[in-house]
Every structure is written in C-alpha cells, then in structure tokens.
Amino acid sequence: MIKSRVYGDETKAFGGGGSTDAYQSFWQGGFEGADHLNSEGRPLCVNNMTGHLLRAESDYALLGRFGIRTVRESAGWRYVEVKDHYNFERIDARLLSAQKREIQIVWTLMQNGLPRDIDIFDAEMPERFARYCSAFAHHLREHSPLEQPVFTPINEISFVAWAVCRSNMLYPHVADAHSDRQKLKRNLASAAIQGCQAIREIFPRALFLHTDPVLRTAERVDVPPYSVGAADPHDERFDVWDMICGRLAPELGGDPSYLDIVGVNYYHSRSWNKSTGTGVHKFDALGTKPLSSTLIEIQRRYQAPVTLADTGHFGADRTVWIDNLAEEVVIAQLAGAEINGICLYPLIDRPD
C-alpha cells in the first residue's frame, strides 16, 4: 500500500502526488499572532497574551513528538515598524529558537495590524508595506541560511476587508458599504503584490502562500443552500487570489508567479446563516459541499499546490474535526489534487 502523507503510516493510501517540497512537514502548526486594534481601539498582541513570545523554544520543542517541523508565525508589522525604523527583536528570538529546534517558520508579514500612522485605504499604503517587506527580507537574509523561505505577505485579505467594512471587529471600521470593501480588497492585494516583488529582489526563490477563508452561506439553517458554484468565474470568494495571479484587476501587477501556494482557511464555522449573521457550528448543518470538493476545485482553478493553511476546532470536537479533515484531504489527493500541507491553527488556545 502506498504510504500516506496525511496520516504518516501505511494504513491509508495516498494518491495524487501532493508535493511537500515547500515545507519540512505535511502537518504544521500555527501560532495566533493577530496584532490589530480591536473594536474599542485597544491594541492586541495575542502572541503576548498566550505567552508564546516568551516560550517559543519550549513550544517548538513540544512539536517534535507530533512530527511537526513547520510552523506559521506572524511577524507583526505594527510592532516591527515603529517611528520610522524597524525593530526585529520579536523576530530574532523566534528565529534563534527555530534554528536550534530545526523548525521551519512560514512568516506572515501582516496579520490584521499595521502602524498607527498608516491609513489602510491610503493609496500610499502598498508602497509602505513593500518597504517593510524588503527590510524584513534583508534582515532574514542576514540571520537565516534559508534560500527558499515561504512567506504569507498579508493574512486573509478578504476577511480583513469584511472585518473593517462590514463589522466592528477591526478598528478603525467604516460604514457597511460594498464599494468600500472592494476598494480595500484591491488596496491590500496591491500591497501583497508589491510585497512579493520586494521580497523576490532579496530572495529570488522565495515562495508565497496567500491565505483566505472559504465560506458557505445560506438563508436558513434547515434547508441546504443553493449551489454556490465555485465554477462561477465571478465568485467573490476568489477575488483576492484572482488579483494576486493577475486574472482580476491586472493593473495591480498580479502574476501567476506570485501565487505559489493557495492557502485555504477552513473552520467549523465555515457555514454562515445569513438570516442570523452567525456561524453554524456543525459539520453538515447546511448540506454544503464536502471539503474535498472545494480543495479539488481550487487546485484545478489555479493549477497551484493548496495548503489547508488555517483549520481547527475546540474542546472535544477537535479529534473528530482532525479525522474528518484528514479523510477529506486524502479524497482530494486521490482525485489528483496537489494538497501539500495541513496547518492546525491555533496550536495554543487564545482569547476568543
């Protein structure tokens, strides 16, 4: 029987040839690093709240027993760029710990937060972000032997645009307006593209993992939704990935070479009840398509490897969730989809 890259043993077959070349391990872990201002304007640093910044080496050491050799970490633009200079102290401690424990870090350069003097809608923001990406890449070049690091320039652009424009989750937030949300998507996508360009000047072989959530919506929880066909070329869920690879808004400078890996973020609340505005916390409450179909669809659309970049559950449902994920990924692989990793996120419980 063929060895399974998902399960790591010979009890389940693996098909499709999903490459793990970008990563040191198929199973990965993510440390929640959100650092935005919340709805009250209070600054957050979840890595501080969980204690991870102080205990990174011991956290990495614990991963060995699970065979996890790749982790996702947030650099934190808001903390790195301070008063016209860059402070990489928060980065260096994790870099050193990771090197000692032979852990690969996939760096997210912006996870919701940005320096206070930058307007997220400002046309100058993308260029400012690119300068930060360049500085970060130069610093990494000096302190790491890596030739092909993996970066996520901006985490979940679609979510950030929704959270700013259609909720009060991120501060400052704006009025509910679809045009504002689309404008912000474009500005953030432009920043991510310019960030890719800046990093490639320092690391020509760098790889980019662009993450976004995959959601399904329905008007009622007791009736399966209409078929929200991801085959629809104008499906809004694909806006950001389409911008990154140049299919949509080509004036932003997108190119397929920047979409090395498609990062699918998929949680228990992936199904959304439009009538109540809340997530549906059951695996099949809305009769939605299985995860395997979504992974196959996205991989075929972009002809790029797919990473299940953020996924997880809480409490007793964690074991059921992980088993369900593994089965769906194997189904997708057997159908020929290149799925190259699963990242359990967050590895450390954090405030809601």
Side-chain angles (χ1 to χ4, degrees):
M1 183 172 286
I2 303 172
K3 187 173 182 180
S4 165
R5 287 203 176 104
V6 173
Y7 285 90
D9 56 33
E10 298 190 7
T11 61
K12 293 182 172 66
F14 166 80
S19 171
T20 57
D21 291 347
Y23 306 123
Q24 289 184 181
S25 63
F26 186 94
W27 285 98
Q28 304 159 21
F31 295 94
E32 175 61 74
D35 62 352
H36 56 281
L37 304 185
N38 69 9
S39 59
E40 298 175 343
R42 296 179 182 178
L44 299 183
C45 179
V46 182
N47 266 327
N48 275 338
M49 297 165 79
T50 62
H52 174 58
L53 288 184
L54 295 176
R55 296 192 294 269
E57 187 171 345
S58 60
D59 287 342
Y60 295 158
L62 289 171
L63 300 179
R65 69 181 69 173
F66 304 107
I68 293 176
R69 312 301 304 168
T70 297
V71 299
R72 293 190 63 211
E73 289 273 16
S74 176
W77 186 14
R78 186 166 70 84
Y79 284 95
V80 171
E81 184 176 343
V82 182
K83 296 181 179 179
D84 298 325
H85 76 280
Y86 300 106
N87 184 337
F88 293 105
E89 291 180 5
R90 295 162 57 89
I91 309 303
D92 292 341
R94 283 175 285 174
L95 272 177
L96 181 60
S97 296
Q99 289 169 9
K100 288 175 66 175
R101 295 291 175 178
E102 298 184 334
I103 293 290
Q104 174 194 21
I105 297 179
V106 176
W107 287 106
T108 295
L109 297 181
M110 174 183 166
Q111 186 166 348
N112 306 347
L114 65 169
R116 288 197 183 224
D117 65 324
I118 301 175
D119 184 334
I120 198 169
F121 285 94
D122 198 305
E124 303 301 318
M125 187 275 286
E127 183 180 348
R128 176 90 169 261
F129 179 73
R131 290 200 299 270
Y132 154 64
C133 289
S134 178
F136 186 96
H138 275 294
H139 186 80
L140 190 64
R141 168 65 77 185
E142 293 174 0
H143 294 82
S144 170
L146 293 176
E147 290 298 324
Q148 193 173 52
V150 185
F151 298 93
T152 296
I154 301 176
N155 192 58
E156 292 192 318
I157 289 176
S158 292
F159 169 77
V160 173
W162 172 82
V164 170
C165 299
R166 304 197 66 173
S167 81
N168 65 348
M169 293 178 66
L170 301 186
Y171 180 90
H173 45 267
V174 300
D176 183 353
H178 179 77
S179 60
D180 283 337
R181 187 157 58 100
Q182 292 302 108
K183 177 182 176 182
L184 186 50
K185 275 187 187 180
R186 288 174 57 92
N187 211 39
L188 289 169
S190 176
I193 291 165
Q194 292 188 42
C196 292
Q197 294 167 345
I199 290 169
R200 282 261 171 89
E201 290 182 2
I202 293 97
F203 288 104
R205 297 178 58 206
L207 298 175
F208 299 111
L209 164 71
H210 295 277
T211 63
D212 243 346
V214 172
L215 302 176
R216 294 277 172 180
T217 63
E219 300 291 346
R220 295 171 52 191
V221 297
D222 58 339
V223 178
Y226 56 85
S227 177
V228 221
D232 177 359
H234 305 295
D235 193 324
E236 190 179 316
R237 292 174 302 154
F238 301 136
D239 280 357
V240 173
W241 291 321
D242 282 356
M243 291 177 190
I244 298 295
C245 72
R247 289 186 181 184
L248 183 65
E251 66 275 10
L252 299 179
D255 188 271
S257 66
Y258 299 141
L259 191 61
D260 294 300
I261 309 168
V262 182
V264 172
N265 293 358
Y266 186 82
Y267 286 97
H268 61 277
S269 54
R270 71 199 183 280
S271 300
W272 198 259
N273 180 1
K274 291 172 70 175
S275 62
T276 64
T278 59
V280 181
H281 297 248
K282 294 182 180 179
F283 292 120
D284 297 309
L286 294 179
T288 57
K289 290 199 313 183
L291 171 62
S292 54
S293 296
T294 300
L295 295 175
I296 292 167
E297 176 180 52
I298 291 173
Q299 199 276 324
R300 288 176 178 171
R301 181 184 180 97
Y302 295 105
Q303 293 296 301
V306 172
T307 296
L308 201 51
D310 282 12
T311 188
H313 213 304
F314 55 89
D317 286 332
R318 278 179 172 148
T319 53
V320 178
W321 183 255
I322 291 173
D323 237 14
N324 180 265
L325 286 174
E327 290 173 4
E328 290 296 314
V329 167
V330 168
I331 290 170
Q333 290 174 327
L334 288 169
E338 185 177 1
I339 316 300
N340 67 353
I342 302 173
C343 181
L344 302 176
Y345 200 96
L347 277 180
I348 301 175
D349 280 341
R350 82 279 193 249
D352 196 6

